[in-house]
Amino acid sequence: MSSSSVGDSENHDGNSRASAAAGGLIAGTKLYRRANLALFCAGFSTFSLMYCAQPLLPIFSAYFKISPTRSSLSVSLTTGLLALSIFVVGINAQRLARKPLMAVSLFISAGLTLIAAAAPDWTSFLVLRALLGIALGGVPAVAMAYLAEEMHPDGLGLAMGLYVGGTAFGGMAGRVITGLFADFYSWRVAMTAIGIVGLSSAALFVLWLPKSVRFVPNARATLRSVRGDLMNHLTRGAMLGLFAIAFLLMGGFVTVYNYAGYRLLAPPYRLSQASVGVIFTVYLVGIGASALFGRLADRHGRIRMLTVGVLLMLIGALTTLANSLWGIMLGIVMLTFGFFAAHAVASGTVGKWARGAKVQAASLYLLAYYLGSSVLGSLGGGFWSHAGWPGVVGMVSAALVCALSICYRLSRSEQREERQTLPSA
């Protein structure tokens, strides 16, 4: 390569970074593509490590001679401490550099999963899964903030959609990979395999993600200033509406998946556990839904596309009332498509509408998101016990109707929020 070619390449790269610093990463550029690939890997790794234990719960019960309730702690401890960790990270986020924080989180999480594969007893395994939840907290809120800060507004929706697509693929792959390896080998081999996948994803993340150029850590950020940032988000009706939507959507989505298996294992369907597990592959539609609706939100309006996603969830939930197996599966597909579409739009809107302190805004959104999973997911069990599947669908439908009413209110304030949000915030 000639010296002039080298110089041209360096100048082009320098110009790209200067452009990114001025207006954000622009869709179609090399840095934009690299950032999207890196954050896809981050989302994939986070959710595959988080949910890899779910298909292994019956195996844990037999291997460690524990009850199903104790076995389920391997998932609930991770997600519960993740919600707390995300909030703590959000409070301190103004002090912390974006890329190093996410990289350390990903490597530690993969390492903890590899160690858990060799855990000698149930107690030590649970401790490692709890630590995993804490370690994973360095990714979700910071990734959303990175996208909101570094992406040009015109490409933010697509970028957020691709990140959410990575989480969908990771949630599916973590369950499927460990299930397959456990069937052919053992749960320890399965956990080792997913840990290696996590390490590989972390390495690709570090290789591809451009460093932040529009955020400078503030070591002088005080608890008082952070409290002010949190109150700024919590006293704005539009932001509260988005947080409430996160609670309702995730709660409804998890409830359907929690109790669909009980229905399909029972008469008249009597599906095998393996056949019910295939349902997790429906997560693949989430990848396309999140990327598609992220792009459509940039073109046709965020709240309009958010409303469409919630409507699809509602129609899907009602469709699962069908007696035929194909009708049930169609309803689950529609619900899944609508959920990931709506989540991609809502999470991107949080980053767009936040007036500064974007990590704190993202952490509040995700705190509501995981609280919805915990609270509504558990509440759905009572509806299943007392009213069967119609009771579950009734509860989920009520939550989604509430979400639609919030969308209506947000649509009336969308133009005001778009005008008042500064691109550089």
Side-chain angles (χ1 to χ4, degrees):
M1 181 181 291
S2 67
S3 60
S4 61
S5 297
V6 173
D8 290 343
S9 177
E10 291 175 347
N11 289 336
H12 176 73
D13 187 61
N15 291 336
S16 297
R17 293 187 183 279
S19 176
L25 300 175
I26 299 173
T29 63
K30 180 180 179 180
L31 289 177
Y32 180 87
R33 289 192 294 268
R34 284 178 53 192
N36 282 331
L37 286 171
L39 289 166
F40 184 93
C41 288
F44 172 87
S45 181
T46 300
F47 278 72
S48 62
L49 295 172
M50 188 191 318
Y51 289 113
C52 67
Q54 194 169 55
L56 305 178
L57 299 185
I59 297 175
F60 292 152
S61 291
Y63 186 90
F64 292 105
K65 296 180 173 56
I66 56 175
S67 67
T69 300
R70 290 188 65 196
S71 181
S72 69
L73 290 174
S74 60
V75 176
S76 59
L77 273 178
T78 303
T79 55
L81 286 172
L82 171 64
L84 177 62
S85 179
I86 287 172
F87 187 70
V88 173
V89 168
I91 290 175
N92 295 281
Q94 295 303 106
R95 301 168 176 263
L96 305 171
R98 304 297 194 229
K99 181 175 179 178
L101 174 60
M102 288 188 282
V104 169
S105 177
L106 290 171
F107 277 112
I108 291 178
S109 300
L112 287 169
T113 301
L114 290 172
I115 298 172
D121 53 54
W122 183 241
T123 299
S124 58
F125 183 80
L126 282 185
V127 169
L128 290 164
R129 289 289 295 176
L131 292 174
L132 172 68
I134 296 171
L136 285 174
V139 178
V142 178
M144 288 173 60
Y146 177 96
L147 286 166
E149 291 161 352
E150 303 299 325
M151 296 296 176
H152 189 279
D154 291 342
L156 174 61
L158 174 60
M160 189 66 75
L162 290 171
Y163 168 70
V164 173
T167 69
F169 188 56
M172 182 276 295
R175 294 169 169 100
V176 173
I177 291 173
T178 51
L180 289 174
F181 272 86
D183 271 345
F184 286 102
Y185 302 101
S186 70
W187 72 266
R188 295 187 186 276
V189 173
M191 295 290 290
T192 300
I194 206 68
I196 292 172
V197 170
L199 283 177
S200 302
S201 298
L204 291 173
F205 171 84
V206 172
L207 179 65
W208 284 334
L209 188 72
K211 67 178 182 179
S212 298
V213 295
R214 306 184 74 201
F215 169 77
V216 178
N218 180 11
R220 297 181 178 180
T222 64
L223 184 59
R224 178 178 298 178
S225 66
V226 171
R227 187 186 301 117
D229 291 332
L230 292 173
M231 291 307 298
N232 177 47
H233 299 312
L234 291 172
T235 54
R236 286 177 56 205
M239 297 299 286
L240 283 175
L242 292 171
F243 301 153
I245 283 176
F247 179 92
L248 295 167
L249 297 190
M250 183 59 166
F253 177 71
V254 167
T255 299
V256 169
Y257 271 84
N258 277 354
Y259 304 103
Y262 288 92
R263 183 188 185 194
L264 296 175
L265 287 168
Y269 310 105
R270 297 184 184 276
L271 297 185
S272 67
Q273 189 68 52
S275 298
V276 173
V278 173
I279 292 175
F280 290 129
T281 61
V282 171
Y283 267 61
L284 289 173
V285 306
I287 301 173
S290 55
L292 172 64
F293 270 66
R295 185 183 295 110
L296 291 175
D298 289 332
R299 296 177 181 175
H300 302 295
R302 298 178 182 281
I303 305 306
R304 178 181 298 174
M305 300 316 301
L306 175 59
T307 303
V308 172
V310 177
L311 278 172
L312 285 172
M313 285 189 70
L314 178 58
I315 295 170
L318 294 172
T319 303
T320 64
L321 290 170
N323 290 322
S324 73
L325 183 59
W326 286 110
I328 296 169
M329 290 304 301
L330 174 62
I332 291 175
V333 168
M334 291 179 65
L335 177 109
T336 304
F337 186 96
F339 168 74
F340 282 106
H343 173 43
V345 176
S347 56
T349 304
V350 167
K352 182 94 181 280
W353 287 3
R355 299 171 191 168
K358 294 184 183 294
V359 169
Q360 279 85 358
S363 66
L364 289 170
Y365 176 88
L366 291 170
L367 178 63
Y369 183 83
Y370 289 111
L371 283 177
S373 171
S374 176
V375 174
L376 296 187
S378 297
L379 186 62
F383 283 87
W384 167 257
S385 298
H386 291 93
W389 190 250
V392 171
V393 173
M395 191 206 84
V396 171
S397 298
L400 295 175
V401 169
C402 289
L404 285 173
S405 69
I406 296 171
C407 286
Y408 173 74
R409 293 179 66 88
L410 289 176
S411 67
R412 301 173 65 182
S413 60
E414 182 174 18
Q415 290 185 351
R416 181 180 69 253
E417 293 295 332
E418 294 287 344
R419 286 195 305 269
Q420 294 180 352
T421 301
L422 297 175
S424 59

